[in-house]
Amino acid sequence: MELFLTAHYPIVHVFCNSVDSTSTSRSDRSTHAAKTPYAMSSDNVSTSTEFSPELRVGTWLFTYTKDVTYICPYIGALRGTLTVTNYRLFFRCMDREPAFVLDLPLGVVSRVEKIGGASSRGEVSYGLVCKDIRNLRFAHKQMEDSLRKSIFEILMKFAFPVSNGLPTFAFEYGQVYPENGWKVYDAQVEYKRQGLPNESWRITKVNDHYEVCDTYPSNLVVPVNIPDEELKRVAAFRAKGRIPVLSWIHPESQATVTRCSQPMVGVNGKRSKDDEKYLQAIMDANAQSHKLFIFDARPSVNAAANKMKGGGYESEDAYQNAELVFLDIHNIHVMRESLRKLKEVVYPNIEESHWLSNLESTHWLEHIKLILAGALRIADKVESGKTSVVVHCSDGWDRTAQLTSLAMLMLDGHYRTIRGFQVLLEKEWLSFGHRFQLRIGHGDKNHTDADRSPVFLQFIDCVWQITRQFPAAFEFNEYFLVTILDHMYSCLFGTFMCNSEQQRVKEELPKKTVSLWAYINSQLEEFTNPLYVNYSNHVLFPVVSMRHLELWVGYYIRWNPRMRPQEPVHQRYKELLAKRAELQKRVEELQRDVTNRSASSSERAGSPTRSITPVQTFV
Amino acid sequence: MFPLKPTFKSYLLPVQTDLKKTPQPPIKKLEAKLLPGEIVVNEVSFVRKCIGADSSHGDLWGKLICTNFKVSFITHDALPKQRFQVANRLLGEHDVPLACVEQVVTVNDAKGKQKVLCSNQKLKFNPTELILYCKDFRIIRFRFDEAGPQSAKKVCLAIAHYSHPADPQLLFGFEYVGKQNYGSLGERVNGVDPGGGLQMPLFDRPSEWDREIKRTGAAEWRVCSINEGYVVSSSLPEYFVVPVSLADQDLKQYLCFFTAHRIPLWCWNHPNGSALVRMASISDPLQQRKLDQRICSAITKSHPQRSDVLKSDLDKNLPNIQDIQAAFVKVRQICVIEPFEESEEKWLSSMESSRWLEYVRSFLKHSAEVVYLLEGKHVSVILQEEEDRDLSCVVSSLVQLMLDPHFRSLTGFQSLVQKEWVMAGHRFLDRCNHLKKNNKEESPLFQLFLDCVWQIINQYPAAFEFTETYLTVLSDSMWIPVFSTFLFNCSQQRTENSMDFAKSKCIPLGEEKALRFPPVWDWSQQFTSKDQALFNNPMYVGKGATCVQNGTVKSFRRTKKNYSSTLRGMPSSLRNILMDGHDSLTLTRRNSLVPWLKPDFSQIREVVESPTERFFRDWVSRPADLQGMLIPQLLPSHLALWRLYFLRWVPEASIPKGGSVTAYHKLSQLADEVEMLQSQLRQYKGATPASTPTSNPSTPSSDHSRMYFKAVSTHEPSSTPEYLSSSFPFSPVGNMCRRSILGTPLSKFLNGAKIWLSTETLANEAL
């Protein structure tokens, strides 16, 4: 429930979001609102003044303030009205035609700060640092000091509900969509699609109540010949009990991608017979190869350093037939710092003279490259080497999720469909406990929290890079990826709430919140790549080279008004499709005419009655 | 510079040992395929062309031939894992035109010696290996392990010698055109009539200028023929366009004050009446002011609103030709010479330090600023450059491409190059350095222009009728020395050299002024019509592309409805910046424009947001009309490396079954289907009720299709052909062989020697 309530001077309006109140039929409502999940029409703000009892997606309006200045880094100061609800911040400058509108879900706000005190011009200002590479600055007159305080306080309260003991907005949002997005992923169905269980792999219920591992899903796929009791002993040897479990199996070679956390080797080089036997079982499950590759996502130095904390990596002495490879991907802190630098370089303006070296100095693309390169090596081992792989980092929920999901995206065309990609995220990221709550810091004011990191953003960036190299291999488009990221921050949907499956079950997210997939699947057209060709058994091997990696300008630089998104090839393709349909219709009509005419005039043979579908030889 | 001691040892693997077991001397006779006028100079058999990156596996055996046109390798072997490569009618699969050879490097790996060969040089060792560095970025390697040492040496020397001709008439085009068109009896033999079949103006006759004046509505401009027979200027075309108010007498009087007598030339008229004019600098400072005034007032008089004239000094605002050449050399070094993996780490900063993209951007930016003046300020603009033969060509063409959709069609584009480059006297001969006389004159201005065009295509893929393949092939054609387009510094030089050559060879020219060199625009010289379909952009939204009978299918022009400006592909909630240009800020700043309206607008950058920038931003905020003005996005983040051109030969950079060509493939198939349906419709419409169409309308002749990839049955899933890669329609296989110079002391040696830069140094120290 987005509620418009207000308790503050100067203007107090309580009204309903008329996007909803004007809807008459249920289906209307879902389409209309679906198109504007967080944008309300600006007209509504200024015209609706009455409280409507028919409050569905309603929002509390906390402040509605005139004469606020938005200091736009591109076009300078803009005066207008600022509205803050428990879901969004909405600024509108009415002096301009068309109106300038700024509409921001509060979930995007990472930090609110007062800037300076009273300035010489008698204005006070405060800045918002956003998670989506934006900083916003507002100012208004000093005489409204009490108001400023209130705006500030309200922002502090509703941008950070978790810190204030309030639920995030996802729990208020009551939009109804035709599909229940929480049903997109069913672990059993997905494993069945992969042909599991089979003679070598079984689905265990040992973690049904999250007792073996509270950050793992309840359904786990493990080697047939390892009984549950042994699994528990293996869990004791793996960090956080995250034992190696199957993520993906090759439909032909039976080579598998398995994931886990680091072994608890420690400084003394502790060993676990159970763990060694377990990895041997994983290798044995694939008859094609007598080797097992262990990909440790970390730089070897970091992996070694982890021994001091009880962790470490598999020694090749202990694990016969296993080869350990370090993938040199840095930890969450390095990535966070890299994104911070990137933001400095791209927002608000780009320094013209040293763009490329500035970009290089952020190391962002270098990190992207290492992640992609790691995933490529995994995919190559599984596909070309027919060898099973074990992937881990330290805890197995950040870099490991990046690597397994990207490798699976390269290996399995199903994950390149819109629904398949949703399954991939639900499976490799959400069910396997990528800690979204901590990494994003939903509703938490502690913006310096060292647990925050753009791990998932990097993954989506990597996906975008692959789509650039294979423009016809993905069913979804760039807008789909941007939408996922935007709603990861928006807190409108429950999808990216919490840190693990266990928490989601406990919080009853599927019951109390709407899934992002419900929204996305209600308007698939918007997210579909018309160029998509479904080649089922096509493995993608992207070229992982700086020569092909690009900064995703459509995401990182989209706030710059000097940038126009690429003239969409997709749009043109859709136009051509529409034209073809139109022409086909006309040709068919004419064909019927001609057939009728020739039939009536004479029974001549050879009239063009056969299919008009052109069949031509292929170049 | 680098330590080259007599004890230098080769660390190369002795490749010849394992090869001795399986040399497969061909049994069939291998002979060069020769063009009219082409003769064999030297040849050597049992040569191995290196293909594989790591081993000799897959290498080809054959004969290496040097003719007066090309380096030819003839083999019976087939390329392993052959990827698609477009075939050129003038060249065999393994041929390299001599004009395309940038550097000839001979190696004797047993002795650890190598030498860069130039014309008329001696070689004191028997080469075991020949490496050709090509102007189109290929690197081709031959090995002579089984070949006769003396013959091998002779061929290497011949290649070095013939690729550095001393006189323009030694360029193969002369022999070719002489033989092909006039035969031995002085009669034309079945040559293509150059330009005759072309549906485009070459701007070598007054009527074509007249038509261009009419097309652009330049009522107050006239064709001037004072340079007929090149009597007043050798570099100006015979016919050009000047303000009506300037009489021939005036012009003749002004001539001598301009550098090389290059008086102002009209380029183009904006529909609002503003003109784009180019001219050389005024050499006499005393006359400068007076002459400037006269020229400006004449141009003002030719403007319907009598608008002002602004002058843009290109020499002041843009990099010079040496800067551009240096940048190009660096970018080539980074893209194809440096070891792939080692250059990865510093790729971005290396690209930046090459400055190539910076220069591309500065030309685009300057051109866009001129666009603003013409379109936004309604003033006429004079592009001024010392000689008006280099930078002006780039800027004036770019401005016209941005403003006039006609030039974004294939023939329009070709006429633009003809008008602003060939006829305006761009020194193609010197800038291509075909004679390799003076390295200081070499500069890839035309390549820079093509890169700028590519950037706009990359940003607006539906706005141009042609593809990046077309641009690449056009660039490659510079190195095939038979086209009138790229052989000469100016038309006068073509005439003069033709006459000399004709006289010396007793070729009767008849009434013609020059030999009939084919223009590059006669693409049938190089490619089959099927291959020419690779030039066509399936996405093109041209005037012709919009029509469907009775308007049932609406034009493809962008409307607000189907393309909502910056916001397409973004959640509506993110529509952050909706703005209108006529905001209060603009009004308050209006006053500051006044001092800026001076003849030279180089100062505009001092304004925080200049009117130009505001104009661009305003344009960006509205939907793009692909048939209207097109301004490229100028943020450095929006300029990209032209990968097809720069990386097409690099095997490591090639994406198998990937790249933008996979989208092109799908688009072409769909566009082909649409065309086929349209043709069916036409046939049905044409058929009168009485006569049922006898020709089957469901299979219209596929010859007429514009698309390279033809439609397939909709019942079959269309899959991407195996041979597609990001290099398509080129292939790295056999065209980029850097094996033995990579990761070996030799590589360090060659890299240290900066082989693209200092040939003399290397040559001197090699022996």
Side-chain angles (χ1 to χ4, degrees), chain A residues 38 75 102 352 360 548 564, chain B residues 349 361 573 576 617 633 653:
Chain A
Y38 48 69
I75 42 180
L102 181 77
E352 305 210 333
E360 186 173 271
H548 282 289
R564 181 197 288 278
Chain B
S349 48
R361 185 168 164 269
S573 54
N576 205 3
R617 202 195 59 205
Q633 299 190 70

Side-chain angles (χ1 to χ4, degrees), chain B residues 374-408:
Chain B
L374 292 163
E375 165 93 20
K377 301 297 303 168
H378 303 254
V379 297
S380 294
V381 177
I382 300 175
L383 306 175
Q384 189 173 40
E385 190 195 355
E386 177 72 29
E387 265 216 306
D388 180 34
R389 295 175 75 176
D390 288 307
L391 311 181
S392 323
C393 301
V394 184
V395 175
S396 113
S397 333
L398 287 176
V399 168
Q400 293 174 61
L401 269 178
M402 291 177 199
L403 282 169
D404 191 341
H406 167 69
F407 295 123
R408 296 176 215 140

Side-chain angles (χ1 to χ4, degrees), chain A residues 38 75 97 101-102 352 357 360 369 469 486 533 545-548 558 564 567 572 575 582 619, chain B residues 343-344 349 352 361 539 553 556 558 573-574 576 580 585 617 633 643 653 659 696 708 714 718:
Chain A
Y38 48 69
I75 42 180
E97 203 50 55
V101 171
L102 181 77
E352 305 210 333
S357 53
E360 186 173 271
K369 180 184 159 174
Q469 295 195 21
D486 281 342
V533 185
S545 155
M546 291 308 290
R547 288 151 167 88
H548 282 289
R558 61 184 162 148
R564 181 197 288 278
E567 179 70 14
R572 179 69 186 132
E575 287 167 358
E582 168 79 26
V619 179
Chain B
S343 52
E344 276 285 290
S349 48
E352 180 176 294
R361 185 168 164 269
M539 278 177 282
V553 170
F556 284 143
R558 302 284 180 243
S573 54
L574 303 174
N576 205 3
D580 179 56
L585 290 172
R617 202 195 59 205
Q633 299 190 70
R643 295 198 191 92
N696 195 334
Y708 186 79
T714 43
S718 86

